[in-house]
């Protein structure tokens, strides 16, 4: 049954990607294609007083300049603009809707020309005069205006009192800066004019059906008028969850000009999209003298725009990780003249758990406890907010296996005690946690009598490996070699799928494949059962499997009919079945993935230079469908965690309300020289409750905990606590 | 990006003629800096004069034992040239500390000398900047100035010169060969770049219509005792916060001659003859290095965010001199600092 699931199967789309055969949104050809280039606002708040496009329009090759004044109709109600992932509260941004400026970098015009270069040149000739308003973009400056979110996590006990009486107490602010996703592929849309007001829209997105529904609502189109396709995505990490400016503008221009239009953002323009919001994380921990926790408080104060309340769960993670009779959480927002933040790999957790895990390290030091021992002292077998046990939780095993692989027992706990020649050596650790979510996904399987199957679903593969795990699960469930499976994804006309995010797609799509495969098997059984002298004449569905091109008895594979024979006998060429996945409702368990991350840093203290020489990440995430793509996911998360710890920061000049490092020369992410050994361990975590396959998903867990493990290692090396990320050398020297 | 004319120069004279005939024209060599600036609308040349095919790619030994290097030699070819590796490893090291392999393959010697500051305001046309738009003001003075200069600044500009190569060239007393409407001339590299003063829009002393044809290295290469140390915000592919080029001529532990240049601290590679003189005849010890660092950093001043650079520079100077004295130069491939 499991020829492929659980193995290090290579990506089925790998060859297409490295040979360039895989096409991305900005690469689809179309007859008479023209190009749009966006003009952006340079002030963060105000109105457009005058927008003079005459010089741009005179440029040879320019076809039109679309602005709020001359654009085709756009929906005027918020509901239409609220995509699947839009914040509940607020009024989504509408490109070119009116003359209001809500953030610097906001699109205010689209120059459409015969070629991209001409559009780009003409865009420099668009003259804009503003009526500026006073504005604020500085979270720390506006901290006092922070307002509590509507739905705080419920408190338990009396955290304030417990904190006040704690034998050992630690309270501190940790500051996580704004960060941008910077996926390698630029945001792009090619809106192909199919005639008669119909469009095929190739878009860089994490959810074709989300974009489809959104475009239909915004442009007042019928579902059949628009098809959204996005077969390959060159990274998105959350930035492609919501429909972005370029898809609205390309569609708008295509409808205005009745021609195919492509809009590709520049790297700089990508900084006008969503981001991980800067957050001040205030954590309070109170411990009894026996080294157990008595109080946890966690308050997050985060950036959002003035027009939408974006918030994720930064603060609740201690409820999952650490037993404490008293806890209180709050999430506050400061509304600023900036674009709305959005999800970015492990939204909420990457920032919140970073703060929590740094605070736990500080508490361990105050208690003179080994940081793992402290965590084991208050290890929680239940999700305390719901008071539920987990479907599975092998975090203890993560600590043990990670510590073993890292050599943690050889750690001298005293800061500044370990050296390698003139470098200080620091060893730090942290816990990671994320949710194990699953969503409704449908899959269609079309099996042909030659033993080939096409598996299709609207889900995206944003580089995570969805094509590959779908193929693996289908090959196993259909009993066919993986070469016989072709997978089609990310077309809005295919069976239903939500956006690809939250680490839910592997489990969700895998179980949709199982459900559809079962329908196929049912049909095959009824065909096989009717054959004269069939060995499966009276077999129950549950007693059969598909294996080696046959339908066979589950316990006796020799009781078999070949798929080809069954279909020939039934006189059918093709069995096509579509089925929605099904997960038994389970309100009795909490569902999470966990990790223990260990980091070694070597620091040249005089110069402040930090090297992250080793990371061990031990992950418990149920069954790993593909150990190769899974390992890559975790490594990618770890590298990002290194960046979050040491490099990444979107820098804004609050006098102008503008991002000043909107390019990847100055917005630093780790380069090869910053990345050394990364050891990924998958801890066995059998899970009989979560779903049939026991799968949890790996997209986010890899980053969570990494920045804290590194910060804690920096402390161990130097004795310095840097609570303002990233840990750049000036902070270490200061 | 604006629309521009394009011509390909047939020889140096043609390039000079084209420059004279087209005010607002720019030379283009590797294009790795100029094209970026054009994409940001910072540079809006009326014409690009492509010099990339001119025959300025030679390495020639000079009569007095030095080396003359054509202005179009790619940075990588320069760094990996056997004569440079053997005789001027300080220069090779500085080049390899800069940019990325791909950029170094494209970048030319002349373009590297002419590359413009990375000050974020200079790049953002929505903000005031005296260098980009004379008289508009300096946004960095009271803005984000963590990367900015601590030496030789003015009230109109505190930008730094980002070149690594130039720092080594300054330490090696390199010369710049220039051709122009008035003929040819040679100036010392240390006189090539300017301090901002009240004309920060003028980066160099290259005159209108002039073109760099070559650089020249004097015979002394300090191949035994040298080091180039670059401190930056990640371990590769970032501009210097501080960089130090150090070269020593030692007799046992006694310093016969010292050269010391700083990058990332000023509008030009920063040298102090006083600091170098103070080392002459002294033992190669941390104390003496420290004293030299103090002299080199004399007059350093900080704005709100770049104060750390002063102490960092001091320490980096001592470390680099130590590396040079010990003949354990900083490796540019293994990023561990020795
Ligand atoms: C992402 C990135 C990172 C970088 N990191 C570093 C780094 O860490 N360290 C570093 O030192 N550099 C770095 N660089 C800069 C790089 O070294 C320069 O871009 C390069 O050296 C410029 O050379 P070029 O031939 O491409 O110049 P071009 O872009 O062709 O020209 C630059 C300027 O020089 C002028 N010019 C060119 N040749 C001549 C000539 N012969 N005579 C007169 N004028 C001339 C041009 O008119 C133009 O104004 C980086 C660049 C990038 C894009
Ligand atoms: S430091 Fe110089 S380049 Fe930067 S803003 Fe000021 S004037 Fe412009």
């Amino acid at each position: 049954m499991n020829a492929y699931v659980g193995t290090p199967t290579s990506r089925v789309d790998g060859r297409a990607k490295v040979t360039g055969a895989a096409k991305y949104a900005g690469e689809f050809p179309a007859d008479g294609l023209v190009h749009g280039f966006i003009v952006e606002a340079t002030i963060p708040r105000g109105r457009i007083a005058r927008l003079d496009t005459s010089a741009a329009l005179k440029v040879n090759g320019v076809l039109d300049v679309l602005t709020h004044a001359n654009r085709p109709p756009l929906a005027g109600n918020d509901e239409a603009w609220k995509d699947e992932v839009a914040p509940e509260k607020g009024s989504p941004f509408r490109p070119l809707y009116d003359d209001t400026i809500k953030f610097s970098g906001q699109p205010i015009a689209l120059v459409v020309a015969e070629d991209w270069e001409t559009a780009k040149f003409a865009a420099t000739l668009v003259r804009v005069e503003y009526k500026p308003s006073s504005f604020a973009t500085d979270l720390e400056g506006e901290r006092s205006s922070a307002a509590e979110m509507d739905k705080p996590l419920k408190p338990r006990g009396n955290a304030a009192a417990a904190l006040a009486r704690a034998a050992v107490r630690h309270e501190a602010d940790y500051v996580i800066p704004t960060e941008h996703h910077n996926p390698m592929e630029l945001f792009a849309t090619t809106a192909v004019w199919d005639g008669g007001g119909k469009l095929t829209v190739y878009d860089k997105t994490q959810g074709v059906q989300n974009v489809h529904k959104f475009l239909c609502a915004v442009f007042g189109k019928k579902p059949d008028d628009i098809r959204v396709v996005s077969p390959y995505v060159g990274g998105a990490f959350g930035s492609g969850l919501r429909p972005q400016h370029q898809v609205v503008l390309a569609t708008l221009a295509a409808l205005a000009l009745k021609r195919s239009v492509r809009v590709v953002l520049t790297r700089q323009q990508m900084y006008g999209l969503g981001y991980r919001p800067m957050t001040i994380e205030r954590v309070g921990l109170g411990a009894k003298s026996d080294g157990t926790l008595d109080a946890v408080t966690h308050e997050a104060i985060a950036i959002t725009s003035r027009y939408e309340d974006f918030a994720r769960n930064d603060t609740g993670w201690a409820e999952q990780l650490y037993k404490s009779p008293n806890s209180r959480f709050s999430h506050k927002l400061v509304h600023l003249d900036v674009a709305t933040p959005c999800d970015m790999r492990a939204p909420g957790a990457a920032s919140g758990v970073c703060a929590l895990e740094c605070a736990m390290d500080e508490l361990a030091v105050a208690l003179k406890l080994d940081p793992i021992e402290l965590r084991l002292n208050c290890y929680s077998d239940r999700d305390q907010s719901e008071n539920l046990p987990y479907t599975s939780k092998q975090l203890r095993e993560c600590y043990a296996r990670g510590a073993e692989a890292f050599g943690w027992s050889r750690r001298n706990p005293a800061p500044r005690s370990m050296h390698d020649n003139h470098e200080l050596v620091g060893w730090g650790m942290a816990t990671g946690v994320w949710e194990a979510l699953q969503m409704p996904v449908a899959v269609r399987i079309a099996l042909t009598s030659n033993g080939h199957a096409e598996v299709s679903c609207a889900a995206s593969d944003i580089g995570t490996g969805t094509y590959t795990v779908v193929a693996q699960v289908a090959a196993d469930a259909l009993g066919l070699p993986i070469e016989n499976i072709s997978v089609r994804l990310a077309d809005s006309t295919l069976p239903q799928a939500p956006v690809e995010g939250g680490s839910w797609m592997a489990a969700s799509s895998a179980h949709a494949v199982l459900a559809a495969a079962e329908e196929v098997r049912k049909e095959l059984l009824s065909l096989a059962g009717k054959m004269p002298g069939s060995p499966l004449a009276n077999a129950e569905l549950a007693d059969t499997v598909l294996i080696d091109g046959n339908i066979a008895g589950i316990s006796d594979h020799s009781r078999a009919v070949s798929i080809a024979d069954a279909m020939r006998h039934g006189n059918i060429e093709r069995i096509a079945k579509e089925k929605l996945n099904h997960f038994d409702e389970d309100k009795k368990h909490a569902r999470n993935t966990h990790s223990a991350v260990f980091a070694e840093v070597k620091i040249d203290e005089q110069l402040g230079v930090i090297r992250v020489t080793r990371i061990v990440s031990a992950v418990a995430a149920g069954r790993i469908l593909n150990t190769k793509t899974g390992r890559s996911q975790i490594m990618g998360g770890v590298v990002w965690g290194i960046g979050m710890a040491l490099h990444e920061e979107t820098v804004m000049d609050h006098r102008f309300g503008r991002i000043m490092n909107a390019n990847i020369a100055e917005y630093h992410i780790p380069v090869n020289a910053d990345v050394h050994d990364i050891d990924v361990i998958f801890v066995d975590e059998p899970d009989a409750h979560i779903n049939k396959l026991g799968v949890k998903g790996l997209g986010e867990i890899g980053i969570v905990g990494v920045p804290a493990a590194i910060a804690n290692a920096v402390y161990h090396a130097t004795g310095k606590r840097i609570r303002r990320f990233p840990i750049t050398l000036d902070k270490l020297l200061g | 990006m604006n629309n521009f004319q394009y011509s390909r120069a047939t020889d140096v004279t043609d390039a000079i003629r084209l420059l004279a005939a087209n005010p607002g024209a720019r030379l283009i060599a590797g294009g790795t800096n100029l094209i970026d600036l054009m994409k940001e609308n910072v540079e809006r040349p009326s014409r690009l004069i492509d010099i990339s095919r001119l025959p300025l790619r030679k390495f020639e030994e000079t009569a007095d034992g030095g080396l003359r290097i054509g202005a179009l030699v790619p940075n990588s070819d320069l760094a990996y040239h056997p004569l440079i590796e053997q005789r001027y490893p300080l220069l090779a090291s500085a080049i390899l500390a800069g940019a990325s392999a791909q950029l170094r393959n494209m970048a030319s010697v002349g373009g590297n000398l002419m590359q413009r500051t990375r000050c974020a305001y200079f790049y953002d046309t929505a903000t005031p900047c005296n260098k980009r738009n004379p008289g508009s003001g300096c946004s960095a003075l009271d803005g984000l100035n963590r990367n900015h200069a601590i030496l030789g600044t003015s009230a109109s500009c505190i930008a730094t010169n980002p070149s690594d190569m130039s720092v080594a060239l300054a330490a090696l007393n390199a010369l710049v060969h220039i051709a122009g409407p008035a003929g040819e001339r040679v100036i010392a590299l240390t006189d090539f770049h300017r301090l901002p003063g009240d004309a920060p829009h003028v980066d160099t002393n290259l005159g209108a219509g002039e073109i760099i044809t070559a650089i020249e290295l004097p015979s002394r290469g300090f191949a035994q005792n040298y080091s180039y140390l670059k401190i930056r915000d990640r371990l590769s592919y970032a501009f210097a916060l501080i960089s130090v080029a150090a070269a020593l001529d030692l007799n046992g532990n006694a310093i016969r001659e010292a050269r010391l240049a700083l990058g990332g601290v000023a509008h030009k590679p920063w040298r102090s003859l006083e600091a170098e003189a103070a080392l002459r005849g002294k033992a190669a010890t941390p104390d003496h290095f420290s004293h030299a660092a103090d002299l080199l950093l004399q007059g350093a001043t900080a704005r709100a965010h770049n104060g750390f650079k002063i102490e960092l520079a001091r320490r980096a100077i001592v470390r680099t001199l130590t590396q040079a004295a010990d003949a354990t130069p900083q490796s540019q491939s293994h990023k561990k600092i020795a």
Side-chain angles (χ1 to χ4, degrees), chain A residues 268 604 653 655 658 669, chain B residues 40 121 124 139 234 319:
Chain A
Q268 286 76 356
D604 189 311
D653 186 324
R655 298 170 304 170
R658 286 178 67 73
I669 57 170
Chain B
E40 301 285 349
Y121 302 102
D124 182 357
S139 297
R234 60 183 169 194
R319 181 70 66 84

Side-chain angles (χ1 to χ4, degrees), chain A residues 121 124 268 422-423 604 606-607 609 611 647 651 653 655 658 660 668-669 671 673-674 729-730 733, chain B residues 1-3 40-41 120-121 124 126 139 143-144 146 231 233-236 308 315 319 335-337:
Chain A
F121 162 57
T124 65
Q268 286 76 356
H422 66 278
E423 286 178 310
D604 189 311
Q606 271 193 327
L607 304 173
V609 176
R611 300 186 302 133
H647 308 118
V651 181
D653 186 324
R655 298 170 304 170
R658 286 178 67 73
M660 295 311 300
H668 290 154
I669 57 170
V671 293
D674 297 295
L729 56 84
D730 46 331
L733 294 174
Chain B
M1 195 174 229
N2 67 327
N3 268 345
E40 301 285 349
N41 292 310
Y121 302 102
D124 182 357
S139 297
L144 302 164
R146 180 173 175 273
I231 311 291
D233 277 326
R234 60 183 169 194
L235 295 177
S236 183
F308 74 99
R315 295 178 187 181
R319 181 70 66 84
K335 308 293 176 181
K336 182 179 169 186
I337 293 173

Side-chain angles (χ1 to χ4, degrees), chain B residues 57-138:
Chain B
R57 292 178 179 247
K58 283 205 253 339
F59 288 77
E60 293 164 295
E61 309 225 25
T62 60
D64 52 4
L67 199 60
R68 190 184 146 121
I69 300 147
L72 286 167
V73 169
N75 286 186
S76 346
D77 290 16
L78 181 53
Y80 293 119
H81 196 282
L83 283 177
I84 301 296
E85 286 182 330
Q86 286 155 26
R87 285 161 51 181
Y88 306 99
L90 175 64
L91 176 58
S93 183
I95 292 170
L96 295 179
S100 64
Q102 294 89 334
L103 284 158
R104 294 192 298 264
N105 288 340
M106 287 301 290
S108 65
V109 165
N112 194 320
L113 289 182
M114 293 294 289
Q115 65 173 297
R116 309 210 65 190
T117 185
R118 309 304 289 202
C119 171
Y121 302 102
F122 176 67
Y123 268 78
D124 182 357
T125 54
T127 60
C129 165
N130 285 327
K131 187 183 276 298
R132 177 173 29 78
N133 186 8
S136 62
C138 171

Side-chain angles (χ1 to χ4, degrees), chain A residues 524-535 537 561-562 565-567 569-570:
Chain A
L524 283 170
L525 178 60
S526 97
L527 294 174
K530 288 185 202 129
M531 286 169 67
S534 171
V561 175
S562 83
D565 285 348
M567 289 176 75
H569 188 263

